[in-house]
Amino acid sequence: MKNSKTAHSSTSPQARRGAARGSAKGTSRETVKKRRGASQTEAAVDLIRLKIIDMSLEPGSKLDEPLLRNHFKLGRTPAREAISRLVAEGLVTIFPNRGGMFVRGLDLIEIGEVMMAYQLVESVLAQLCRFADQNLVADLEEIQARYTHEVRRKSFLGITSVNEEFHLRMHRSIGNALFYEFALSTHRHVRRLLVLIYKIENTERNVLESQMEINIGEHVGIIDAIRHGDRAKLNQLLPAHAQQAQMRLTRILSEKRVPPLTVDRLTNEFFGKKRDFQADRG
């Protein structure tokens, strides 16, 4: 004990403060490094997710680290961590027997699952959306103004992004973290499907314009029902709003005379035309 006291007392206060500063600097560097790595991974996840949603990365296409590093200029660690996150989100699927990881498919079964989940989350939302949330109506009106702006710009990524925000704001009012995560995951899959539908509808300008006006009107009706605390009206509007995607897809399949159970053929034909167009431009 005596030696210990002597050793301690022989260290000047200035030396002790210098050592503390050095330790703090080391800790600070590590913290900054971790934050930088986390932000790079987050940016990589956001980038790849958007490429999947807007179909730049087509359903069923293969993902690997070299592609992400070379094409998207991502480092090895952010690329690897981004893929892991997207697997957890369900946007990327691992098939060991096929030799890697692939963008989640978008065939009839997949679309059916997305539609069912969408109907479920919106039906529960209609029943549990908390009218007592004082900022809810004001927030929805602000989001709706941005949604209308994106509609006027005909930015499909912007439209689906703000639409997701609109619905998730209502989900947040419920106050159930587990259900919110389910709703968030569902809306990410819904976004990809809606982008596909918008791109196909874009070949028929009048249809696209009409559908966009319907969507704006339904959002206005939803906000009005919440403003007046009309649960019965909300129970009618939200499930019907979710069903719009199914009705639009049914119309597309019917008018394009695509045989039953071949939604994958529709997506393949669409992307095939896109590739042909790009080849012609090249």
Side-chain angles (χ1 to χ4, degrees):
M1 291 291 294
K2 186 174 182 180
N3 291 340
S4 174
K5 288 180 180 179
T6 303
H8 181 73
S9 62
S10 64
T11 305
S12 68
Q14 292 88 346
R16 289 198 297 273
R17 284 196 294 270
R21 281 196 298 271
S23 176
K25 285 180 180 178
T27 303
S28 177
R29 287 194 201 98
E30 286 300 315
T31 301
V32 169
K33 188 176 180 180
K34 287 179 181 178
R35 286 176 179 170
R36 185 180 297 120
S39 64
Q40 287 176 345
T41 298
E42 198 67 38
V45 170
D46 289 342
L47 172 64
I48 301 167
R49 185 191 295 121
L50 284 179
K51 295 298 182 183
I52 291 173
I53 288 172
D54 76 1
M55 307 254 178
S56 297
L57 288 169
E58 299 175 11
S61 60
K62 187 173 182 178
L63 280 179
D64 54 29
E65 289 181 28
L67 169 70
L68 300 181
R69 292 202 306 270
N70 299 330
H71 187 69
F72 295 109
K73 308 303 180 186
L74 300 176
R76 175 173 294 180
T77 299
R80 184 181 300 121
E81 292 179 355
I83 289 176
S84 297
R85 285 269 302 275
L86 292 165
V87 168
E89 290 181 10
L91 291 171
V92 173
T93 307
I94 299 176
F95 290 111
N97 58 327
R98 289 173 54 190
M101 295 156 290
F102 298 81
V103 176
R104 187 164 182 160
L106 196 58
D107 57 15
L108 187 66
I109 294 175
E110 171 69 18
I111 290 173
E113 290 178 351
V114 172
M115 294 292 189
M116 182 181 294
Y118 191 24
Q119 284 287 323
L120 174 62
V121 296
E122 295 305 282
S123 296
V124 174
L125 174 61
Q127 297 174 41
L128 299 182
C129 180
R130 193 165 62 87
F131 297 151
D133 186 328
Q134 293 183 351
N135 297 320
L136 181 56
V137 170
D139 288 348
L140 290 177
E141 287 178 333
E142 186 274 328
I143 296 169
Q144 177 68 359
R146 288 188 283 114
Y147 177 81
T148 303
H149 175 69
E150 295 298 330
V151 167
R152 301 306 178 216
R153 292 177 59 227
K154 294 184 175 59
S155 167
F156 302 147
L157 267 180
I159 291 168
T160 56
S161 175
V162 182
N163 179 68
E164 176 186 282
E165 187 181 349
F166 181 86
H167 288 266
L168 290 179
R169 177 60 185 91
M170 289 183 281
H171 280 288
R172 198 162 69 246
S173 77
I174 296 174
N176 186 312
L178 289 177
F179 189 72
Y180 181 86
E181 287 299 317
F182 176 57
L184 172 60
S185 174
T186 297
H187 275 279
R188 282 174 175 162
H189 291 284
V190 169
R191 278 191 70 189
R192 187 167 67 138
L193 179 57
L194 288 178
V195 166
L196 173 63
I197 293 173
Y198 275 127
K199 286 184 174 182
I200 296 172
E201 287 177 339
N202 196 36
T203 62
E204 305 169 88
R205 182 65 60 178
N206 292 338
V207 171
L208 180 64
E209 297 282 355
S210 174
Q211 185 59 55
M212 286 179 167
E213 291 305 318
I214 289 172
N215 294 343
I216 289 174
E218 289 183 348
H219 278 196
V220 170
I222 290 166
I223 295 172
D224 194 56
I226 294 173
R227 179 184 291 108
H228 293 96
D230 192 338
R231 183 72 63 186
K233 189 68 173 176
L234 197 62
N235 276 324
Q236 174 189 349
L237 290 175
L238 275 173
H241 183 61
Q243 197 173 22
Q244 275 286 346
Q246 183 174 342
M247 294 169 61
R248 291 160 68 187
L249 187 61
T250 299
R251 185 195 62 78
I252 289 169
L253 293 173
S254 173
E255 292 188 5
K256 288 184 175 291
R257 305 185 188 282
V258 179
L261 307 180
T262 57
V263 176
D264 54 339
R265 174 181 166 186
L266 176 61
T267 58
N268 287 337
E269 288 180 354
F270 172 75
F271 287 120
K273 291 175 182 176
K274 178 181 174 184
R275 282 191 292 269
D276 292 342
F277 173 73
Q278 290 173 337
D280 290 341
R281 291 184 63 185

